[in-house]
Amino acid sequence: MIVPGAASWARSSCEMSSLDYLSQGSLQDNLRDAAKEPERAQEHCLPPFAGGQHFFEYLLVVSLKKKGSGADYEPTITYQFPKRENLLRGQQEEEERLLGAIPLFCFPDGNEWAPLTEYPRETFSFVLTNVDGSRKIGYCRRLLPAGRGPRLPKVYCIISCIGCFGLFSKILDEVEKRHQISMAVIYPFMQGLREAAFPAPGKTVTLKSFIPDSGTEFISLTRPLDSHLEHVDFSSLLRCLRFEQILQIFASAVLERRIIFLAEGLSTLSQCIHAAAALLYPFSWAHTYIPVVPERLLDTVCCPTPFMVGVQMRFQQQVMDSPMEEVLLVNLCEGTFLMSVGDEKDILPPKLQDDILDSLGQGTNEPQTSEQLNEHVSGPFVQFFVKTVGHYASYIKREANGQGHFQERAFYKALTSKANRRFVKKFVKTQLFSLFIQEAEKSRNPPAGYFQQKILEYEEQKKQKKSREKTVK
């Protein structure tokens, strides 16, 4: 059963799909009930993929079909590749739930549309999370179909288990190029993509594709070598907000508060909310997570448990009028906070806040590639976690069978800075940290990833500093 976003409230209380929510009573009542239930461990952030698996599960076209004689249209799947056959009953039910939920997220704006002669294309994404914690990502390109006169937009949607937004944006470029010729030209390209293995970090897969009047084309799809940021682009977040505001959003997310982003464009909402969640690396947002909330699910903002959601600006008044508990409401169009708790500037240790801002401010006027920009923005936040909790592995005591037990009190008392200690005493109580440390307790050795690499570099720097100080004395 599929639920929208990384919605732990949906799974802990009433394990149903987004469409079930629409048909079975008040979503607000379901949300309140969920707050009384213990939350289950779950990750939002997209884990790195080694490569070798399929690129995607489905390519779908979602179109608007008129409902009756009014101005309402209903989003409907009008093309599906591949068509699945001979599915077991359970698999068929699962597919029906998945395909039933997708149109709502391709057209989250509501059902009132009118044919258009111009429409700026939009690229955005959504996340659907199953009750077992597995998740599928929908990569969408919304545009006007080829033709003359007023017409309705349609959405090309690729469903995949893989988080790699840059790569899938390039694939959607190729789909769009072919859609201008004929749907028949899309099929062989997607068939070739489906047969290709997803490349490992730093590797390239090359596809051969024939286009009428252009001949055979070779399309190269390359994954970045450092895969921990391949699912994010920080440029939209930097265009919309100042560094100080991004830091306050980060602080709110670290303490698992309720955060709402407002913007008009689906692309802006999607990119900014993914970027905000990515700042938490190596930790994973484990609560309600909906990059673009469909109109019929706006009651989500009344949820008393943590959430990170995006809402289109046209629904601003509905959101403002909703009975919300303490929330950070971010207007991405104006670069302002419309609502806040008030203590966002005081959550993080002052010295470490200054370190982050200093690092972010360096070299910002120099031209950077997307990968360089991502590293420039993410790096100071990773360093923040290195300095505050990077010593975690030393405080996991292991039994003979290898099972570890985290020594929480000794862990935060090891910090010499009082400000850092005060922050960490709060942070260790979050689900962000709990999920991370549970995985660490199971593993005999720290994972050999980017975070561990930064921890080792930081420890080496501290050793060298001590050695220099001894030499001076």
Side-chain angles (χ1 to χ4, degrees), residues 16-320:
M16 57 180 70
S17 75
S18 55
L19 297 187
D20 292 327
Y21 272 125
L22 300 177
S23 61
Q24 297 187 22
S26 164
L27 174 61
Q28 195 168 335
D29 291 339
N30 289 329
L31 294 170
R32 280 200 203 94
D33 292 342
K36 301 171 186 174
E37 298 289 335
E39 294 186 2
R40 298 181 185 179
Q42 179 213 346
E43 293 191 1
H44 151 63
C45 285
L46 310 176
F49 289 84
Q53 61 193 105
H54 288 303
F55 267 87
F56 71 100
E57 291 188 21
Y58 297 100
L59 167 68
L60 306 168
V61 178
V62 179
S63 307
L64 291 166
K65 298 296 181 183
K66 199 166 184 61
K67 290 173 62 178
S69 58
D72 278 7
Y73 289 84
E74 184 171 9
T76 305
I77 293 174
T78 53
Y79 177 85
Q80 173 188 336
F81 170 78
K83 289 277 190 182
R84 301 286 176 92
E85 297 177 352
N86 304 318
L87 294 176
L88 298 175
R89 183 177 175 182
Q91 294 173 320
Q92 189 170 349
E93 289 175 354
E94 184 71 24
E95 181 182 66
E96 287 172 359
R97 277 190 166 79
L98 171 66
L99 298 180
I102 287 168
L104 184 67
F105 292 90
C106 291
F107 285 92
D109 334 52
N111 294 334
E112 291 188 13
W113 285 86
L116 305 161
T117 54
E118 292 183 5
Y119 183 83
R121 71 175 188 175
E122 293 192 278
T123 304
F124 59 99
S125 60
F126 58 83
V127 181
L128 295 173
T129 305
N130 206 331
V131 293
D132 64 2
S134 61
R135 85 290 167 266
K136 300 179 191 296
I137 304 129
Y139 300 95
C140 301
R141 174 70 52 83
R142 195 156 83 177
L143 41 70
L144 279 185
R148 294 181 178 179
R151 51 210 187 278
L152 293 162
K154 63 170 63 175
V155 174
Y156 285 88
C157 178
I158 299 172
I159 301 297
S160 177
C161 293
I162 296 168
C164 195
F165 295 100
L167 209 60
F168 280 95
S169 181
K170 187 172 181 181
I171 292 168
L172 286 168
D173 289 342
E174 295 296 331
V175 170
E176 181 180 352
K177 185 164 68 175
R178 285 158 179 75
H179 124 276
Q180 293 167 354
I181 303 169
S182 164
M183 284 297 296
V185 186
I186 295 175
Y187 172 81
F189 169 69
M190 295 305 289
Q191 180 62 35
L193 187 66
R194 186 164 174 77
E195 292 170 357
F198 190 67
K203 301 298 182 182
T204 298
V205 63
T206 301
L207 303 175
K208 187 167 73 171
S209 177
F210 178 78
I211 297 181
D213 300 328
S214 297
T216 300
E217 286 190 358
F218 291 91
I219 300 146
S220 295
L221 300 170
T222 304
R223 284 182 74 189
L225 188 60
D226 183 2
S227 62
H228 87 281
L229 288 175
E230 66 183 338
H231 63 284
V232 69
D233 181 353
F234 285 110
S235 57
S236 286
L237 194 65
L238 293 179
R239 278 195 301 270
C240 295
L241 300 169
R242 302 189 312 274
F243 291 145
E244 291 81 4
Q245 293 171 314
I246 294 171
L247 191 59
Q248 290 177 55
I249 292 168
F250 170 74
S252 297
V254 161
L255 290 192
E256 298 179 324
R257 293 183 172 179
R258 291 170 283 278
I259 307 172
I260 304 171
F261 294 90
L262 286 171
E264 194 52 57
L266 301 178
S267 302
T268 300
L269 272 180
S270 173
Q271 289 174 13
C272 286
I273 197 170
H274 284 306
L279 293 177
L280 297 171
Y281 175 87
F283 303 95
S284 301
W285 183 262
H287 305 278
T288 305
Y289 179 87
I290 314 178
V292 184
V293 178
E295 182 182 16
R296 284 184 281 173
L297 293 180
L298 281 176
D299 276 352
T300 302
V301 301
C302 304
C303 177
T305 52
F307 59 72
M308 193 184 295
V309 299
V311 176
Q312 286 181 285
M313 192 60 76
R314 69 189 68 184
F315 304 125
Q316 177 184 339
Q317 199 54 51
Q318 278 177 258
V319 170
M320 300 286 283

